Amino acid sequence: MRTALVHYWLLNWRGGEKVLESLCRLLPDADIFTLFYDPRTVSDEIRRHKVTASFLNPLRSQYRQLLPLMPMALERFDLRGYDLVISSESGPAKGIRTSPSARHICYCHTPMRYLWHLYPDYMREWLPPWKRAALAAVGNRLRRWDRASAARVDEFVANSENVRRRIRSAWDRESRVVYSPVAVEKFYWREPEDYYVVINELVPYKRVDTAVRAFARMGRRLRIVGGGPEFKHLSSTAPPGNEYCGRISDMIMLEMKSRSFAIIMPG
């Protein structure tokens, strides 16, 4: 059985990419298709597979601005000859076209936030004026495409009950829940030190700025792990007691978690 894995983009090492890595272990002969690919950002397991990037890949440094072109880029992938296609969805990955005989399963982390449940927040406060105008101009067309492309999926799998509800709301499709894999054997406990930790991609919907303000008000020490477009702004305006660690290795992150008083999830 020939299998293809479709992931929205491979430019970071976050939760979605770790799920893809698990799928690669389950399906060692699968080929990978993605809109954008930087091999330096992914694990050896993913690099071991044949990875095909879209024609947009030379522009990957500006990938956030290329949303209107992503549906066309996905639909140009040739997946004829594959019997099973598994799309990993948080961007527009499920929009690929498969052969009529193939089975397409979408493992969904969430429908695109900036088109659906967080669209009002992006339009009111999280985007600069020119980006709001751009999203308003293409938003309706992209939502129609996103909803129509959901019909190409044979079965949806959600990573949580919360996402199952979002799938029903955005696409009017039912799904079953399969929780994301967690390497629980790697976790350990240490006597906690006097700090809390946030581990997130620094993007608006994670609401890290809310945690920063709250901990500054309480006078508690907060360590923030992660990178992203909000890093420069948040780190430059950090109040005393906040420490921005950037992207760190999994080993250092586990040690930081094990010694923290608590992990904060402001999103």
Side-chain angles (χ1 to χ4, degrees), residues 112-217:
M112 285 185 280
R113 299 174 179 89
Y114 35 83
L115 291 183
W116 296 105
H117 68 288
L118 291 181
Y119 179 79
D121 298 282
Y122 276 92
M123 293 300 290
R124 289 171 186 158
E125 56 180 307
W126 289 345
L127 293 177
W130 72 270
K131 286 188 177 182
R132 292 180 202 171
L135 184 57
V138 300
N140 286 336
R141 178 173 62 84
L142 288 171
R143 274 189 293 273
R144 287 195 298 270
W145 174 86
D146 195 47
R147 191 174 176 89
S149 66
R152 303 173 190 172
V153 176
D154 295 300
E155 182 177 0
F156 278 98
V157 179
N159 73 357
S160 66
E161 291 291 341
N162 186 38
V163 169
R164 184 176 63 83
R165 291 190 293 270
R166 290 181 191 170
I167 290 171
R168 185 189 298 130
S169 174
W171 301 325
D172 197 25
R173 292 289 303 271
E174 293 300 323
S175 57
R176 61 191 178 108
V177 174
V178 177
Y179 294 110
S180 302
V182 179
V184 293
E185 70 280 357
K186 291 185 177 180
F187 289 89
Y188 52 89
W189 183 84
R190 296 281 190 267
E191 189 67 30
E193 298 178 10
D194 187 23
Y195 69 86
Y196 298 75
V197 64
V198 167
I199 302 171
N200 270 324
E201 184 73 1
L202 301 183
V203 291
Y205 69 87
K206 297 293 188 180
R207 303 182 190 274
V208 175
D209 59 327
T210 302
V212 169
R213 289 194 300 269
F215 275 76
R217 195 175 302 129

Side-chain angles (χ1 to χ4, degrees), residues 235-249:
S235 58
S236 64
T237 59
N242 281 253
E243 179 184 350
Y244 285 83
C245 305
R247 300 190 192 278
I248 59 178
S249 70

Side-chain angles (χ1 to χ4, degrees), residues 27-52:
L27 301 161
D29 298 321
D31 297 331
I32 299 172
F33 293 82
T34 186
L35 287 164
F36 307 100
Y37 179 45
D38 182 350
R40 297 170 298 177
T41 64
V42 299
S43 67
D44 292 339
E45 178 63 44
I46 291 176
R47 281 194 296 268
R48 193 179 63 77
H49 291 247
K50 178 185 176 184
V51 179
T52 301

